[in-house]
Amino acid sequence: MSDNLFLRVFEKNDLDFIHKLYNNPKIMHFWFEEPFYSNATLAEAFDKNKDNPRRKSFILQDDSDIVGLVQLFSVDYIHRKAEFAIIIDPEKQGKGYALKATHLALEYAFGTLNLNKFYLYVDEKNEKAIHIYEKAGFVQEAILKDEFFVNGTYHNVVYMSCFQNDYLKKEEHTSK
């Protein structure tokens, strides 16, 4: 991983990369969705959501190399909160991208959008992701029992959140 990791706007020419991710059963299992997305469906969703102020989609890029997808869903400007989701390309996993991408998303959520709460849902069995989110400053608020049905079984999810004030205190303490 280089020092030049950044988020950029998700563009229509990124759809082939997204198609590869969204059709990977291992990835979509953790997103609680089936891995069956056609190029046409993805293009239609892109056109529908490209100007949606309640959804922010970014490509995670390391220099010129595309590494993953970062998204904010249900952005609520009145209550100042949004849901966070991330996918790191399986070929790029294990290299520290997820933690850095989570920090970039937190900086955007709290610094640019001035959100108060940033939250996520993660499969209770996805211990690596939970560890990364905790390291980034998220805390567990609840375990939601049998929340999603995927591949014939119900899954418990951990609901985690990070608050702007807590994040800024942590960043201030870290920078000293």
Side-chain angles (χ1 to χ4, degrees):
M1 178 171 55
S2 76
D3 291 334
N4 195 24
L5 190 67
F6 60 95
L7 297 176
R8 67 165 175 78
V9 173
F10 168 35
E11 300 285 354
K12 198 162 195 166
N13 61 357
D14 295 312
L15 285 173
D16 285 341
F17 174 74
I18 301 305
H19 184 260
K20 179 179 91 167
L21 297 179
Y22 278 25
N23 282 281
N24 182 322
K26 290 179 183 177
I27 290 172
M28 297 317 287
H29 174 84
F30 285 119
W31 269 42
F32 312 111
E33 293 186 27
E34 296 298 320
F36 304 111
Y37 288 87
S38 69
N39 281 321
T41 299
L42 291 172
E44 184 179 303
F46 175 85
D47 289 337
K48 178 182 172 188
N49 289 300
K50 69 181 179 191
D51 297 320
N52 181 348
R54 294 182 42 82
R55 175 180 272 189
K56 305 288 183 181
S57 298
F58 301 96
I59 294 296
L60 178 65
Q61 197 158 320
D62 187 2
D63 286 324
S64 62
D65 195 20
I66 296 176
V67 176
L69 174 69
V70 171
Q71 291 187 300
L72 283 70
F73 297 104
S74 304
V75 178
D76 185 330
Y77 296 98
I78 294 172
H79 301 292
R80 296 179 44 225
K81 63 182 182 173
E83 181 182 346
F84 169 62
I86 183 174
I87 299 174
I88 301 297
D89 185 336
E91 297 171 13
K92 311 288 187 201
Q93 291 178 4
K95 299 178 181 177
Y97 287 118
L99 181 60
K100 180 64 177 164
T102 301
H103 280 293
L104 291 170
L106 285 161
E107 289 170 13
Y108 177 77
F110 297 140
T112 301
L113 297 181
N114 192 29
L115 298 180
N116 178 57
K117 184 177 185 176
F118 207 33
Y119 63 92
L120 60 89
Y121 301 91
V122 60
D123 192 305
E124 182 180 53
K125 294 179 182 177
N126 194 347
E127 294 174 4
K128 287 181 183 179
I130 292 169
H131 175 74
I132 289 166
Y133 298 139
E134 288 175 339
K135 199 170 180 182
F138 284 86
V139 295
Q140 293 185 26
E141 284 194 33
I143 295 179
L144 307 175
K145 302 289 185 187
D146 291 346
E147 187 70 10
F148 295 106
F149 186 79
V150 179
N151 294 332
T153 61
Y154 284 97
H155 293 254
N156 295 344
V157 298
V158 179
Y159 176 81
M160 302 180 78
S161 65
C162 185
F163 287 88
Q164 182 187 54
N165 193 36
D166 295 334
Y167 179 76
L168 294 176
K169 282 181 190 172
K170 182 180 173 188
E171 289 301 301
E172 182 180 301
H173 183 264
T174 305
S175 65
K176 288 183 179 181

